[in-house]
Amino acid sequence: MPKLLPNSPTLLCLPTCWKQAAAFSLPGAQRSTSWLPSFCVKIRGSATSTATELQPTGRFYDNRSPGGCGEANKNVPGDLSNKVSKRQGKIGFRKERLKQYSAMLRECASKVALNEGRAVHGNLIRNGVVPDSHLWVSLTSFYAKCGRLEFARKVLDETPERDVVSWTALISGFVSEGCGDDAVALYCVMRNEDVRPNEYVLATTLKACSLSLDVELGRQVHAEAVKAGLLTDLFVASGLVDLYAKCKEIELADSVFFSMPERNEVLWNVLLNGYAQLGDVKAVLKLFSMMVEWEHKFNRFTLSTVLKGCAKSGHLKEGKLLHSVAIKTGQEVDEFVASCLVDMYSKCGMIGYALQVFKRIKDPDLVTWSAMISGLDQQGFSHDAADLYKAMVLAGVRPNQYIFSSLVSAATSRGDLRFGKAVHACISKYEMEDDMLVSNTLIMMYMKHGQLQDGILIFNSMLEQDTASWSYLLSGFCDSNRCEEAPRIFYQMLVEGFNPNMYTFIDILRSCSSLSDVHFGRQVHTHIIKNCNDSNDFVRTALIDMYAKGRCIEDAVAVFNRLVDRDLFTWTTMIDGYAKTNQPEMALKHFVDMQSEGVKPNEFTIASCLNACSHMATLEGGQQLHSMVVKAGHTGDIIVATAITDMYGKCGCLEDAEANFKDMVLRDAVSWNTIIAVYSYHSQGENALQAYRMMIEKGFLPDEATFLSILSVCSNMGLVEEGKKHFESMSKVYGITPSLEHYACVVNILSRAGQFDEVEAFIKEQKLSTHALIWETVLGACKLHGNLDLGETAARKLFELQPKEDSAYVFLSNIFASKGRWDDVQKIRLLMSEEGIKKEPGCSWVGVDGQVHVFVSQDGSHPKTEQIYAKLQDLKQRLSFSGYIPKTENVLHNISSREKIEHLWHHSERLALGLALISTCPGMPIRIFKNLRICEDCHEVMKVISHVTSREIVIRDFKRFHHFKLGSCSCQDSW
């Protein structure tokens, strides 16, 4: 930009590009090939004067210049008539010159020929021409239409008399460049100068208000139109209707439209477009019908507007009717209408119809090609989209960013990274990598295919990013192995000043779910509220998932209760959340509520409910779900079938679990892990090891869960050497790093075998002394073997590591009690009291007639307590004849032997057994569940009762299942 001359800070100076002006020299003007670089100086002498001869004048033009209309020459000879005729001749010649200048500027403006127009401007400056009002307007309009708004504004500032036409020219230029706010500001300046508006400036200003969505100023302009009596003008009315429609004030748009005494097709199209943009296709069709009924002519723009409304709202039936209208009026062959028909059919899912319309177009333009390719991509026909692109290139049509965006999206949809990279190469060939839309879709493609580095490379190479760029970048880190980087990316996005949108929030919440990072998730939740996205159901669903997976079920419920539209995914998330937070009753309740609201469960919902039944050990509910699976045809689904196997296993039905596993057509590693775990906690060690060997033979690799089950089996069976071998194979053969749970299993194998020296050496070697789980395992084995010294050491470690946990106190107290050290037992109990630690009460529950009955030791609250106690008394007598002798050493209280015997007979599992015996049919298996380990005496009693009653009794304690049958237990008295 050239600098202003000294002492002329407000004058307009144009760039020095004036040599072309010679071609525009007018008759009578002095010709020259050397044009001065500024028109704000007075020219003295010839056109080749040096810069030192130039003197600033303070105005664009000098009225004393030759050819101007300055003071007449006082020394003109001749009579008065000659003077008058010569003067009139000069005036006529001057007017003709001004008209020619105006005409040339208008022509340059129409061709957007900036350099030629500048040359014309330079020519009139050199010749000292003083513009009239028309030429001032032509200059303003020329620069405005050529996009040089700053020059247009300066020309207007120098215009001696700025009328409404001058202002309209400038305001129109700003509107054409999309500068709505600036155009509105100019109108305000015009009104402050008391320039009376006409219909053209009002219509132009209304367009500016539409651009800036400034409905308030639009209302004021509306009032001025009423005041000036210009409301009936079609241009003003069209501007008002367009403004109100775009600002969603559709009732006001209607009011203006129907108040017009006369309506042309432009006005109809404006209102139709307003309704179409709002997606109110019924109103669009009603208005169009009214237009036809009133016999108003409609053009291709009318049809295209109505078709766009149908496409946006998915109204196929109405779109077909419009297609018939287009055929009837002969407008189907119009490329503009045909393109809209292609778009409408594509978006309504009728891709076949779209192709038929497309094939009938003689010479499709780029927009039509783009609509067809995009439609094929969106409807899942990615291969056809690629083929159509090839046809387009062969037809000589140069692709644009929208077509490339659709092709990249097609590559993403079909999961074809190779094709996507080929499209990327074409994008580079056509030099469109800098386009934001194309770059964003490329980032999305690479992220969806797990090519994070390629996505990051494109993101970093972008000249400018938007919110979508950050969202696509973030999406790649949600479920990948690098999901821990997602919070950092989200934070950086905020630092850069970008406002997250719905998709950004969903992606970052997904990463929080993967990380189980509720703390960061809560911070994201606050941003969601701040950005007013908390009312969005998709965002709310992501919040529910994050809180549920983070075990914050109360927060998940709070968000769930605010949901307006609860879909299948939302219900499944809640059910799964309840199941994983040990609230199976609520999971099953939500399953019932979901169906009552008309939402049908899928395989994931059913699998979550089966998991709930597994936690709750409700066999009847699990069987009902199994029948639902069969009825719905989900038996072939691996996830559901595996959940059924797990449910039967955890409900004590080993045979049903085995049968379901054998019926599975397809199995994966999780399925094998499930059946191995079922065998493990049902004390079927040989079957578990055999299933493990079969799993390896079938080509499935074991994982951490597999080895936990196998090491547990080795511990139960006392297979020390085999346990060591499997532990070593984890890292050496399968490359699995053992977790703390695996080390605890090895400690359990060694300590249950009584190899305490090796246990201490292993703990020291593996540096496990700081982990409470290890010492809990040691303490349990010490109780089993009566190892008081090591037991006390383990207890002291646990007191340090977990001072508020009751297990260490209880175990140590039991060891002291078994040794008859009642003073030490009392000390432990006193210590627990001082620390405020309470022992978890033992309880047992049993299902009878669809209801779960819970008992605690010495319970007398059940309605059938008398019958239960009577049944147990009868069993007591029958067992005494069978040679049963109570193991009173299991009663860890300092009371008499008789009291100990009575205490034993009223343990919670025996009360549950008594209820089952008096409430169920003979021969039926009895299944009892207990939260603590079953005591030795109860274990012995159950074996004898299973023999004398000929009933199978299955008890699940907190470690494993015990199947009592015909006087023996599946655990072989080792638990």
Side-chain angles (χ1 to χ4, degrees):
M1 182 71 69
K3 296 181 180 179
L4 296 175
L5 293 177
N7 303 320
S8 304
T10 62
L11 300 184
L12 170 64
C13 294
L14 297 180
T16 58
C17 178
W18 305 115
K19 287 190 178 181
Q20 298 177 40
F24 294 92
S25 296
L26 300 173
Q30 183 180 359
R31 293 182 177 271
S32 173
T33 58
S34 177
W35 299 100
L36 297 178
S38 174
F39 53 82
C40 54
V41 296
K42 177 182 177 182
I43 301 174
R44 294 183 178 177
S46 68
T48 57
S49 299
T50 61
T52 56
E53 299 176 79
L54 304 179
Q55 299 296 327
T57 64
R59 293 284 301 172
F60 280 158
Y61 301 98
D62 188 352
N63 291 339
R64 296 171 295 174
S65 300
C69 56
E71 185 182 356
N73 193 335
K74 294 180 181 180
N75 299 317
V76 176
D79 58 13
L80 183 61
S81 60
N82 288 335
K83 290 182 181 179
V84 171
S85 64
K86 285 182 181 181
R87 185 175 180 84
Q88 287 175 344
K90 282 186 178 183
I91 292 171
F93 176 70
R94 176 180 173 275
K95 286 184 178 179
E96 188 60 33
R97 289 182 69 194
L98 293 177
K99 283 183 181 179
Q100 289 180 6
Y101 276 121
S102 294
M104 283 188 285
L105 286 169
R106 284 196 299 271
E107 185 179 356
C108 292
S110 65
K111 295 178 180 179
V112 196
L114 180 63
N115 287 338
E116 288 84 347
R118 282 172 169 171
V120 173
H121 195 176
N123 187 290
L124 67 90
I125 294 168
R126 175 187 174 277
N127 288 290
V129 176
V130 177
D132 62 1
S133 60
H134 295 292
L135 187 52
W136 280 114
V137 172
S138 297
L139 279 167
T140 305
S141 180
F142 159 68
Y143 283 117
K145 288 181 179 178
C146 289
R148 301 307 297 267
L149 301 178
E150 70 278 16
F151 288 166
R153 179 63 193 269
K154 290 179 181 179
V155 170
L156 182 70
D157 288 342
E158 288 299 315
T159 303
E161 295 180 3
R162 289 177 286 193
D163 59 7
V164 69
V165 181
S166 307
W167 283 102
T168 303
L170 184 60
I171 293 170
S172 179
F174 275 91
V175 170
S176 298
E177 291 296 312
C179 304
D181 291 332
D182 293 326
V184 166
L186 282 171
Y187 177 78
C188 295
V189 173
M190 184 195 85
R191 294 299 289 125
N192 287 336
E193 292 189 5
D194 204 24
V195 177
R196 185 182 180 86
N198 62 10
E199 62 271 29
Y200 302 110
V201 77
L202 288 175
T204 306
T205 305
L206 287 168
K207 285 182 183 177
C209 293
S210 296
L211 283 173
S212 57
L213 298 178
D214 191 344
V215 71
E216 290 306 317
L217 185 65
R219 291 176 192 271
Q220 295 178 45
V221 176
H222 188 171
E224 291 215 312
V226 173
K227 185 178 178 181
L230 298 172
L231 190 59
T232 56
D233 183 84
L234 289 172
F235 293 107
V236 175
S238 297
L240 282 169
V241 172
D242 182 57
L243 167 69
Y244 288 136
K246 284 182 179 175
C247 293
K248 299 182 179 179
E249 298 279 358
I250 201 67
E251 291 181 1
L252 289 174
D254 264 347
S255 175
V256 173
F257 178 83
F258 287 107
S259 67
M260 290 294 293
E262 183 184 347
R263 306 174 193 92
N264 62 3
E265 60 189 30
V266 175
L267 197 56
W268 283 95
N269 288 346
V270 169
L271 187 59
L272 281 167
N273 186 61
Y275 276 113
Q277 291 299 319
L278 291 174
D280 191 350
V281 72
K282 289 184 178 179
V284 171
L285 294 169
K286 183 180 178 182
L287 197 62
F288 180 72
S289 301
M290 191 184 299
M291 185 179 184
V292 174
E293 188 180 323
W294 291 356
E295 298 182 354
H296 282 280
K297 289 184 179 180
F298 56 85
N299 55 22
R300 60 179 187 156
F301 300 108
T302 314
L303 275 177
S304 66
T305 299
V306 184
L307 282 168
K308 285 175 184 176
C310 293
K312 189 174 183 180
S313 57
H315 281 65
L316 177 63
K317 183 179 177 181
E318 291 78 3
K320 285 182 175 180
L321 288 171
L322 288 166
H323 190 176
S324 66
V325 171
I327 294 170
K328 185 178 178 181
T329 56
Q331 296 190 57
E332 187 196 23
V333 294
D334 182 87
E335 289 183 5
F336 194 64
V337 174
S339 179
C340 291
L341 283 167
V342 168
D343 184 56
M344 183 272 295
Y345 280 125
S346 298
K347 288 180 178 175
C348 290
M350 304 299 290
I351 202 69
Y353 286 0
L355 274 171
Q356 288 179 29
V357 174
F358 178 79
K359 288 175 182 177
R360 286 201 289 268
I361 303 173
K362 248 184 191 180
D363 188 18
D365 62 4
L366 183 59
V367 175
T368 311
W369 282 103
S370 181
M372 193 67 247
I373 291 172
S374 177
L376 287 167
D377 167 44
Q378 289 170 5
Q379 295 302 319
F381 296 93
S382 51
H383 291 279
D384 297 289
D387 292 339
L388 195 62
Y389 168 73
K390 294 173 187 174
M392 185 195 76
V393 174
L394 290 173
V397 180
R398 179 184 172 88
N400 62 7
Q401 67 270 35
Y402 302 106
I403 289 175
F404 279 129
S405 175
S406 295
L407 289 172
V408 174
S409 177
T412 306
S413 301
R414 65 197 258 190
D416 191 343
L417 183 60
R418 184 179 178 184
F419 173 64
K421 288 187 174 181
V423 175
H424 191 175
C426 292
I427 291 168
S428 299
K429 177 184 175 182
Y430 286 100
E431 298 180 346
M432 288 193 182
E433 282 183 304
D434 291 337
D435 183 83
M436 188 178 291
L437 177 64
V438 173
S439 295
N440 284 344
T441 50
L442 282 171
I443 294 170
M444 177 187 68
M445 178 189 74
Y446 284 121
M447 289 301 176
K448 286 279 178 72
H449 284 92
Q451 303 293 310
L452 303 189
Q453 284 305 122
D454 291 328
I456 293 168
L457 187 65
I458 292 172
F459 179 85
N460 290 333
S461 66
M462 291 177 72
L463 299 176
E464 185 180 355
Q465 294 103 359
D466 61 0
T467 299
S469 313
W470 285 94
S471 294
Y472 287 134
L473 179 69
L474 189 62
S475 67
F477 294 88
C478 293
D479 304 312
S480 69
N481 294 328
R482 297 170 62 180
C483 60
E484 69 278 355
E485 295 181 43
R488 180 184 59 80
I489 294 171
F490 180 76
Y491 175 75
Q492 186 62 33
M493 177 184 178
L494 297 178
V495 170
E496 296 285 341
F498 290 93
N499 283 325
N501 59 18
M502 175 185 76
Y503 304 103
T504 320
F505 284 126
I506 290 172
D507 286 335
I508 188 61
L509 287 170
R510 280 171 54 203
S511 71
C512 291
S513 296
S514 300
L515 295 167
S516 296
D517 190 349
V518 178
H519 178 69
F520 191 81
R522 290 186 193 278
Q523 296 180 51
V524 174
H525 195 171
T526 61
H527 278 284
I528 289 169
I529 295 170
K530 183 180 178 182
N531 284 268
C532 302
N533 277 297
D534 57 322
S535 59
N536 184 288
D537 278 359
F538 295 105
V539 175
R540 284 178 174 177
T541 300
L543 280 168
I544 291 168
D545 184 56
M546 183 271 295
Y547 283 126
K549 287 180 179 174
R551 301 294 193 271
C552 296
I553 198 68
E554 295 82 4
D555 296 302
V557 172
V559 180
F560 179 79
N561 290 335
R562 292 200 300 272
L563 268 178
V564 178
D565 184 21
R566 298 170 182 173
D567 60 5
L568 178 61
F569 177 78
T570 310
W571 282 103
T572 304
T573 301
M574 283 302 301
I575 291 167
D576 188 57
Y578 277 120
K580 288 178 178 176
T581 53
N582 296 319
Q583 299 184 62
E585 301 92 341
M586 292 300 296
L588 295 175
K589 179 183 179 298
H590 274 62
F591 182 70
V592 174
D593 292 343
M594 179 191 78
Q595 294 178 89
S596 67
E597 288 193 11
V599 181
K600 291 184 178 181
N602 63 6
E603 58 271 27
F604 301 105
T605 320
I606 294 171
S608 296
C609 287
L610 286 165
N611 289 335
C613 291
S614 300
H615 287 299
M616 197 175 173
T618 53
L619 178 61
E620 187 176 344
Q623 289 172 330
Q624 290 176 8
L625 286 168
H626 191 177
S627 65
M628 184 182 292
V629 168
V630 174
K631 186 178 179 181
H634 292 313
T635 51
D637 185 88
I638 296 179
I639 297 174
V640 174
T642 302
I644 291 171
T645 301
D646 183 59
M647 180 272 296
Y648 280 125
K650 287 179 179 175
C651 288
C653 301
L654 178 60
E655 296 80 5
D656 292 324
E658 283 183 304
N660 186 75
F661 178 78
K662 289 175 181 177
D663 289 341
M664 290 177 68
V665 179
L666 298 173
R667 299 181 186 127
D668 58 7
V670 178
S671 308
W672 284 102
N673 283 347
T674 301
I675 194 63
I676 291 170
V678 168
Y679 283 133
S680 173
Y681 52 69
H682 278 274
S683 300
Q684 301 290 316
E686 288 297 338
N687 290 339
L689 293 172
Q690 184 181 355
Y692 172 70
R693 288 189 287 269
M694 288 178 65
M695 175 184 180
I696 302 298
E697 290 171 6
K698 296 288 183 181
F700 294 99
L701 292 176
D703 57 16
E704 293 88 344
T706 317
F707 282 106
L708 277 176
S709 296
I710 293 302
L711 292 172
S712 178
V713 165
C714 294
S715 174
N716 295 339
M717 298 179 69
L719 302 175
V720 177
E721 294 305 318
E722 185 164 357
K724 288 181 180 179
K725 183 185 73 175
H726 286 302
F727 179 76
E728 289 175 0
S729 70
M730 282 183 66
S731 54
K732 291 182 179 179
V733 179
Y734 299 106
I736 299 172
T737 303
S739 67
L740 180 62
E741 287 76 13
H742 294 108
Y743 286 115
C745 284
V746 175
V747 169
N748 197 38
I749 290 171
L750 297 172
S751 59
R752 284 178 67 85
Q755 299 179 13
F756 290 108
D757 291 339
E758 194 170 347
V759 167
E760 291 184 87
F762 183 77
I763 292 172
K764 186 176 181 180
E765 179 187 346
Q766 300 296 337
K767 300 177 181 178
L768 303 172
S769 60
T770 58
H771 299 287
L773 179 61
I774 300 298
W775 294 112
E776 283 179 3
T777 305
V778 171
L779 188 56
C782 289
K783 179 182 179 297
L784 180 68
H785 290 279
N787 189 333
L788 187 58
D789 293 336
L790 185 57
E792 285 189 83
T793 301
R796 282 196 298 271
K797 284 286 186 181
L798 286 171
F799 292 160
E800 294 173 9
L801 297 170
Q802 293 180 336
K804 296 298 181 182
E805 289 292 324
D806 68 328
S807 57
Y809 298 92
V810 173
F811 270 123
L812 186 58
S813 174
N814 290 346
I815 293 173
F816 285 143
S818 65
K819 297 293 183 179
R821 293 171 56 173
W822 298 110
D823 290 341
D824 291 325
V825 170
Q826 191 62 32
K827 288 178 183 178
I828 294 294
R829 290 176 180 173
L830 183 62
L831 182 60
M832 289 178 67
S833 178
E834 289 174 353
E835 294 291 334
I837 300 170
K838 293 184 178 180
K839 177 181 177 292
E840 181 185 1
C843 67
S844 301
W845 60 97
V846 63
V848 176
D849 296 331
Q851 286 188 329
V852 176
H853 301 263
V854 182
F855 296 90
V856 294
S857 183
Q858 318 305 312
D859 200 340
S861 61
H862 197 276
K864 293 185 178 182
T865 296
E866 289 186 11
Q867 296 96 310
I868 293 170
Y869 275 56
K871 184 64 179 177
L872 291 177
Q873 186 62 30
D874 176 58
L875 287 172
K876 181 180 175 182
Q877 292 177 0
R878 292 174 65 182
L879 262 62
S880 64
F881 292 120
S882 300
Y884 159 70
I885 300 174
K887 295 182 179 181
T888 55
E889 63 271 18
N890 285 279
V891 180
L892 304 176
H893 298 282
N894 191 12
I895 54 177
S896 66
S897 296
R898 183 176 178 181
E899 288 174 313
K900 287 182 179 180
I901 293 171
E902 286 299 318
H903 193 279
L904 286 171
W905 272 100
H906 296 144
H907 274 190
S908 62
E909 54 265 55
R910 299 194 198 189
L911 296 173
L913 176 64
L915 176 65
L917 287 171
I918 64 174
S919 305
T920 58
C921 299
M924 285 185 63
I926 297 171
R927 293 180 176 84
I928 299 169
F929 302 89
K930 184 175 176 63
N931 67 329
L932 301 178
R933 181 178 179 272
I934 187 172
C935 74
E936 290 182 38
D937 188 68
C938 286
H939 190 272
E940 189 64 28
V941 164
M942 294 300 171
K943 288 197 297 183
V944 181
I945 292 176
S946 70
H947 179 69
V948 299
T949 60
S950 300
R951 300 283 290 268
E952 180 183 1
I953 303 169
V954 181
I955 295 182
R956 188 186 82 178
D957 65 11
F958 86 104
K959 280 202 168 185
R960 66 175 58 85
F961 278 92
H962 300 266
H963 291 259
F964 300 99
K965 194 172 183 179
L966 299 177
S968 64
C969 180
S970 59
C971 74
Q972 299 176 358
D973 298 337
S974 176
W975 76 104

